[in-house]
Amino acid sequence: MTQLEAARKGIVTEEMAYVAEKEGVSPEFVREGVASGRIVIPRNPNHRTLRDFKGIGEGLSVKVNANLGTSYDYVNLEEEVEKARVAIQYGADTIMDLSTGGDLKAIRERILEVATVPLGTVPIYEAEFRAAKRKSFFDMSADELFEVIEEHGRQGVDYITVHVGVTLKNLEVYRNSSRTTGIVSRGGGLLAAWMLHRGEENPLYARFDDLLDIARTYDMTLSLGDGLRPGSLADSTDRAQIAELLTIGELVERARRAGVQAMVEGPGHIPLNEVATNVQIQKKLTGHAPFYILGMLPVDTAAGFDHIAGAIGGALAGWMGADMLCYLTPAEHLGLPTPEHVKEGVIAFKIAAHAADVARGNPRALERNRRMSEARYRLDWEGQFALCLYPEEARRLKEERGSRTKACSMCGPFCPMNLVEAVLRGKARMELQGAPYVHDPVG
């Protein structure tokens, strides 16, 4: 029985109870969300090392995914395992293995071993890889693609990206558009090229019921990918993007009827003034399915710093209702990221997700920020380190350039914290008198 089927029977599973406790909501709230399809809990029972279950969806905290994986040019298994560890250490809620080089099954197995959070994959990459090794990607059969999907489920993958909305009909909409950057989704592009070359329908769409059977068998959450997403601001929110979303919305309903959990992937390159519109359209057209966005990236010109630009768009999108942010790293659009790039990307997007939680009125996020402010006003450094998102970095920076006073070295004896209150209490010393600070903020 899948999480969705259990929820509909009124059963609160171990995973639902765990998510409820972590989120500070009732188990019944989570169960109702899963039953309605507004919350998903990616959880393949074959993923033996998964301990930190995640709920993604409405009424829960905004989540962050970190992508990793080998490429054609760089195949280093140990580095990918290290990326997985780094991503989890710095707070990634899920990770995705997007490997396209080396022994893909062995790479996935190693990453599963260290993945204490849900793991996602994109099976079309492996199907393409196998066919290309034989002769050409265009020789891939539909059966081969479904065999790969089955293998991923058997191995323990918790969710899979499937570009089911790239249909022949929607490709006609795309071909009649005047896009600046065409199709930029790797999986969507591979499928579109295969379909146009062979004159055949997308097998993921044509055999969607077969896909549902596999997903239900392993309780793999379907992440319905946006293969026609915009790859530039010039193409944002165009007809091809919306046509695909309409198809995806219909397939979300079919997945729910089959007892299969589904979330929807979204763009992409979207200017800030269109972020709210994109979130609202997605929620409306998909029955409020959890929205998993790629960025959003509000400028095309931040190469080398796309993690910062994407965090800006991600924070706004999260506030507007997006449920999971796929991180970007400094290497986005430039090359395969290193473990350090992974760290920087996760940190940027965890901050963005936290900012979104605050804007959405998440009680735990608001309380944490209030307590942080109180500790800061008291110059309670240990309290601040305990409450900030990344204590080790905060402590390092404080100690690296410390002050002879209780304050930090930015203000030193001129720290304003509690100064006015100290004056009102008659406890402020407004001259140094040989003391290392002007006033005693905690006296």
Side-chain angles (χ1 to χ4, degrees):
M1 184 162 39
T2 67
Q3 295 289 324
L4 177 54
E5 290 170 328
R8 285 179 174 165
K9 290 179 180 291
I11 299 171
V12 174
T13 64
E14 172 191 354
E15 293 82 2
M16 294 176 205
Y18 179 93
V19 168
E21 183 176 357
K22 288 206 70 174
E23 297 281 348
V25 298
S26 71
E28 184 61 18
F29 177 87
V30 175
R31 187 200 66 77
E32 288 178 354
V34 173
S36 70
R38 296 188 178 205
I39 293 174
V40 297
I41 303 177
R43 169 56 167 140
N44 184 335
N46 290 343
H47 186 174
R48 307 300 182 190
T49 58
L50 176 57
R51 298 190 298 273
D52 193 4
F53 309 121
K54 302 292 181 176
I56 304 165
E58 292 186 3
L60 306 180
S61 59
V62 178
K63 304 303 187 296
V64 172
N65 170 70
N67 290 337
L68 48 98
T70 61
S71 72
Y72 173 84
D73 293 296
Y74 292 93
V75 179
N76 184 329
L77 173 56
E78 293 310 314
E79 182 174 84
E80 298 310 319
V81 171
E82 177 63 15
K83 289 180 191 178
R85 290 196 176 105
V86 167
I88 296 168
Q89 176 186 347
Y90 285 92
D93 296 289
T94 76
I95 58 176
M96 290 196 77
D97 173 18
L98 308 185
S99 292
T100 56
D103 186 338
L104 303 188
K105 183 176 181 180
I107 293 167
R108 191 165 54 252
E109 189 64 40
R110 283 294 307 281
I111 293 174
L112 276 165
E113 289 173 2
V114 301
T116 54
V117 300
L119 175 71
T121 60
V122 187
I124 186 67
Y125 294 170
E126 184 165 3
E128 172 268 338
F129 184 77
R130 292 182 183 182
K133 283 181 69 175
R134 289 196 311 271
K135 181 180 178 183
S136 165
F137 166 60
F138 297 123
D139 291 333
M140 180 194 77
S141 68
D143 285 342
E144 187 171 23
L145 174 57
F146 281 92
E147 286 169 10
V148 169
I149 294 171
E150 179 93 37
E151 288 178 17
H152 284 215
R154 193 179 316 110
Q155 204 169 4
V157 170
D158 300 291
Y159 68 96
I160 55 173
T161 292
V162 281
H163 300 88
V164 291
V166 181
T167 64
L168 289 173
K169 178 182 177 181
N170 291 336
L171 282 179
E172 277 302 304
V173 177
Y174 160 73
R175 294 175 73 179
N176 289 326
S177 68
S178 55
R179 279 197 167 185
T180 298
T181 47
I183 296 178
V184 298
S185 162
R186 184 162 62 185
L190 288 168
L191 271 172
W194 183 92
M195 293 161 61
L196 294 172
H197 178 80
R198 296 170 62 112
E200 295 180 21
E201 183 58 272
N202 179 351
L204 296 171
Y205 178 76
R207 293 174 54 179
F208 191 64
D209 287 337
D210 293 337
L211 177 61
L212 293 176
D213 287 342
I214 297 172
R216 184 178 177 277
T217 298
Y218 302 101
D219 200 0
M220 279 194 301
T221 298
L222 295 182
S223 187
L224 304 183
D226 53 341
L228 300 180
R229 67 177 180 266
S232 59
L233 300 186
D235 299 337
S236 66
T237 325
D238 69 352
R239 289 191 301 274
Q241 176 191 334
I242 302 304
E244 180 185 36
L245 184 58
L246 285 165
T247 301
I248 287 173
E250 296 170 0
L251 298 178
V252 167
E253 290 301 319
R254 286 177 60 184
R256 289 172 175 172
R257 288 197 297 270
V260 173
Q261 299 186 96
M263 58 184 173
V264 175
E265 296 184 14
H269 294 245
I270 300 291
L272 290 179
N273 59 300
E274 295 181 15
V275 168
T277 299
N278 270 265
V279 176
Q280 290 162 359
I281 290 173
Q282 184 274 342
K283 289 289 184 179
K284 273 283 193 181
L285 297 182
T286 67
H288 291 258
F291 195 19
Y292 168 28
I293 62 169
L294 312 179
M296 297 176 174
L297 192 60
V299 294
D300 296 336
T301 50
F305 301 93
D306 275 339
H307 62 307
I308 297 174
I312 294 169
L316 178 56
W319 176 24
M320 294 296 104
D323 302 295
M324 185 159 74
L325 315 179
C326 186
Y327 86 159
L328 304 176
T329 76
E332 188 73 21
H333 299 110
L334 301 172
L336 193 71
T338 65
E340 181 62 24
H341 293 147
V342 169
K343 172 185 171 181
E344 292 181 42
V346 171
I347 289 173
F349 275 77
K350 287 297 287 187
I351 294 171
H354 186 61
D357 286 337
V358 169
R360 288 160 67 151
N362 181 290
R364 288 193 171 184
L366 290 172
E367 175 64 11
R368 183 173 183 175
N369 279 269
R370 185 188 64 79
R371 292 174 59 202
M372 179 71 174
S373 296
E374 292 173 348
R376 181 170 286 155
Y377 201 55
R378 294 192 308 268
L379 295 184
D380 175 2
W381 294 105
E382 290 304 317
Q384 291 181 64
F385 296 148
L387 289 162
C388 66
L389 296 176
Y390 294 100
E392 291 181 7
E393 183 69 3
R395 186 184 296 276
R396 180 185 68 79
L397 290 170
K398 170 67 171 60
E399 295 175 352
E400 207 170 70
R401 307 199 78 178
S403 172
R404 291 171 293 163
T405 74
K406 291 182 180 180
C408 76
S409 59
M410 179 68 181
C411 292
F414 309 106
C415 177
M417 295 298 181
N418 271 309
L419 177 57
V420 172
E421 286 81 357
V423 169
L424 293 173
R425 293 195 307 268
K427 293 186 177 182
R429 297 191 301 276
M430 297 314 294
E431 63 283 332
L432 291 179
Q433 296 179 339
Y437 46 83
V438 172
H439 68 103
D440 183 352
V442 295

